[in-house]
Amino acid sequence: MSYLDTVKALIEDWKRKDLDAVANYVTDDLVYFYAAGQAPINGKKAFRAFLETIKEHQQQPAWRIKRSAESVNTLFVEGVDDYVNPAGHHIQTPYVGIYEFRDGKISAWRDYFDFELLKKMETGEAPNEHYQALAKA
C-alpha cells in the first residue's frame, strides 16, 4: 500500500468515526502537530484521546486530498478539511499535511492551515474569496 493509500484509508475510517481504526495507522510514539504553533500531541494514546475530543464536533466529514507527492518515507498532501460543526456552520479549511512513515505507519504528522481563520469560521464568519478559491481549487 502506498503512503497515499494509507492516508486515504485513514480518512475513510475517520469519516465513519472509527477512532480505533484511525489510531491503528500511527506508531505508538507518534508526534502529531494538529496546527503549526501549537504543542504536539505525543503518542498513539494521546492521539486517540484527541480524536475523541473532536469526533462529535466534526459532523458530516468530507475531508479530501487534492494533490500529493511522496518521497522515501514522507507524504506531502494538499487538501481541504471539510465538515459541519455542531452550530451548523460548514467549515472548509485548505491545508497542507506532511506525514512521515516508519514500518508502514505514520510516525510524524504535521498540518499547516490558518488556525485563526478556522476559529472565525467556527463562529459563522465567512472566509474571504481567496480562501474560498483555495478550498475549491
Side-chain angles (χ1 to χ4, degrees):
M1 180 181 291
S2 73
Y3 298 149
L4 181 59
D5 290 338
T6 298
V7 172
K8 284 182 174 180
L10 179 152
I11 289 169
E12 291 307 311
D13 287 336
W14 174 249
K15 288 177 180 178
R16 287 191 300 280
K17 303 298 178 127
D18 186 342
L19 304 187
D20 291 328
V22 171
N24 279 331
Y25 293 100
V26 306
T27 61
D28 290 340
D29 62 345
L30 170 74
V31 178
Y32 174 49
F33 284 89
Y34 168 70
Q38 293 187 342
I41 296 167
N42 294 297
K44 181 188 283 192
K45 190 174 184 179
F47 175 68
R48 172 69 171 71
F50 170 75
L51 295 177
E52 193 67 51
T53 67
I54 65 171
K55 176 182 173 183
E56 297 307 320
H57 183 78
Q58 293 189 0
Q59 301 169 6
Q60 302 172 34
W63 176 14
R64 60 194 179 276
I65 293 173
K66 300 183 324 183
R67 292 169 191 82
S68 66
E70 290 188 26
S71 71
V72 176
N73 70 334
T74 306
L75 172 68
F76 294 81
V77 300
E78 177 187 16
V80 177
D81 195 5
D82 187 332
Y83 60 92
V84 175
N85 73 8
H89 303 300
H90 186 192
I91 310 298
Q92 291 184 309
T93 306
Y95 74 94
V96 170
I98 301 170
Y99 304 85
E100 293 179 26
F101 286 79
R102 185 176 67 242
D103 300 326
K105 293 194 174 202
I106 301 166
S107 59
W109 178 350
R110 296 176 298 280
D111 284 332
Y112 298 90
F113 60 93
D114 187 333
F115 190 65
E116 292 304 313
L117 184 54
L118 171 63
K119 291 191 302 187
K120 290 177 183 177
M121 286 189 296
E122 287 283 349
T123 66
E125 185 174 317
N128 67 40
E129 63 195 56
H130 307 295
Y131 200 78
Q132 291 176 27
L134 279 175
K136 293 177 184 162

